Amino acid sequence: MAPVGKPKKTVKETSTVHRPTSKASVGAKRGRDDGDGKPKKTVKETSTVHRPTSKASLGAKSGRDDGDGKQKKTVKETSIVHLPPDEELTTEQINEYYRQFFGSQGFIVPDYGGRLCGGVGPYSMTDKYRQKLVKDMIQKSLRIYNRKNKVNFEFDKLVRVNAGAVAGLMFYITFNARSGDDAPQTFYSKVWKSFNGYIKVQFCVIGNAQEVGTSQDAGTSQESGITQA
């Protein structure tokens, strides 16, 4: 028998003193405690209460949040993906393009040249296929030049590549090459590539861009062949 004067330990009296927190109360209303005033472990359940919004969930699937339920600021990133259409070229820009094109025979043109119908613009060297293609054209051009002039120039450095659509692609390649220990020379090679891979070197000359296409006697040659992609 319990000693007189000492109250019994009752769950109800203890529970009224040590009330669960507000979150535990929510759990108790939903049947997530066992009546002893202590909430069960509901970490996973609680995490489902604070779910991100539908937009944040979409961002999470795309890797745009860091797992804290908060969406990152992606407005600027989205605007980069969905670029606005190119603005129409002005008359001044078009005139400048033709001035540069005819002054250099296509070897020096503005960056926007490719936006013109039939225009020539920079050729992007972003992948290995394009890099190999241009390298093969340079080697073919040098082989022609060396045989024609009985010299032995070797490729040194690529300077610039432009291209325009002409029943395939017409390439305007500027590169440096050297013979032995001599200083490198600047070469200009115009090469046509058809849709089926047929390649023809129109000419390959040493000089400057302004002289290209006006005097092609020295070092001008042609050769055709098939280049495997």
Side-chain angles (χ1 to χ4, degrees):
M1 179 180 295
V4 179
K6 293 183 179 181
K8 294 182 180 181
K9 295 181 179 180
T10 61
V11 175
K12 291 184 178 180
E13 292 179 1
T14 305
S15 63
T16 57
V17 176
H18 302 285
R19 293 179 180 176
T21 61
S22 59
K23 291 185 179 179
S25 299
V26 174
K29 291 180 182 180
R30 298 184 179 180
R32 292 203 296 269
D33 63 38
D34 54 5
D36 60 356
K38 297 181 180 180
K40 292 182 180 181
K41 295 181 179 180
T42 57
V43 176
K44 292 184 179 180
E45 294 180 4
T46 304
S47 64
T48 59
V49 175
H50 301 285
R51 291 176 182 171
T53 62
S54 58
K55 291 184 178 180
S57 299
L58 179 61
K61 292 179 181 180
S62 303
R64 292 201 300 268
D65 62 38
D66 53 7
D68 59 359
K70 296 181 180 179
Q71 186 182 14
K72 291 184 178 180
K73 295 180 180 179
T74 57
V75 177
K76 292 185 179 180
E77 295 178 1
T78 304
S79 64
I80 293 176
V81 175
H82 302 286
L83 293 174
D86 293 330
E87 296 181 359
E88 185 177 354
L89 296 177
T90 64
T91 302
E92 290 75 12
Q93 288 177 312
I94 296 174
N95 291 338
E96 177 62 18
Y97 164 78
Y98 285 112
R99 185 189 70 79
Q100 292 190 30
F101 176 83
F102 289 114
S104 66
Q105 297 300 312
F107 289 92
I108 297 177
V109 292
D111 291 341
Y112 55 81
R115 291 169 54 187
L116 289 167
C117 181
V120 174
Y123 184 72
S124 177
M125 303 280 287
T126 55
D127 56 69
K128 292 182 179 180
Y129 168 76
R130 291 189 171 197
Q131 294 170 7
K132 183 179 184 303
L133 176 63
V134 172
K135 182 179 179 181
D136 290 344
M137 290 179 176
I138 292 174
Q139 296 298 340
K140 183 182 291 292
S141 300
L142 279 176
R143 185 166 61 250
I144 295 171
Y145 185 90
N146 287 336
R147 185 174 64 238
K148 177 74 175 181
N149 295 277
K150 296 180 175 56
V151 290
N152 187 28
F153 277 92
E154 295 181 353
F155 174 71
D156 181 61
K157 182 178 66 175
L158 180 65
V159 177
R160 183 187 308 108
V161 183
N162 296 329
V166 183
L169 282 176
M170 186 70 76
F171 289 84
Y172 304 82
I173 308 172
T174 305
F175 62 93
N176 292 337
R178 64 172 66 238
S179 177
D181 296 331
D182 295 338
Q185 299 288 332
T186 301
F187 282 76
Y188 298 89
S189 180
K190 184 178 179 181
V191 185
W192 176 66
K193 177 181 180 294
S194 69
F195 292 113
N196 63 358
Y198 180 85
I199 290 179
K200 183 176 183 179
V201 177
Q202 300 290 324
F203 62 80
C204 180
V205 298
I206 295 177
N208 59 66
Q210 285 68 32
E211 295 175 353
V212 173
T214 58
S215 177
Q216 300 178 12
D217 295 334
T220 303
S221 303
Q222 293 187 356
E223 181 181 276
S224 60
I226 300 297
T227 294
Q228 299 296 327

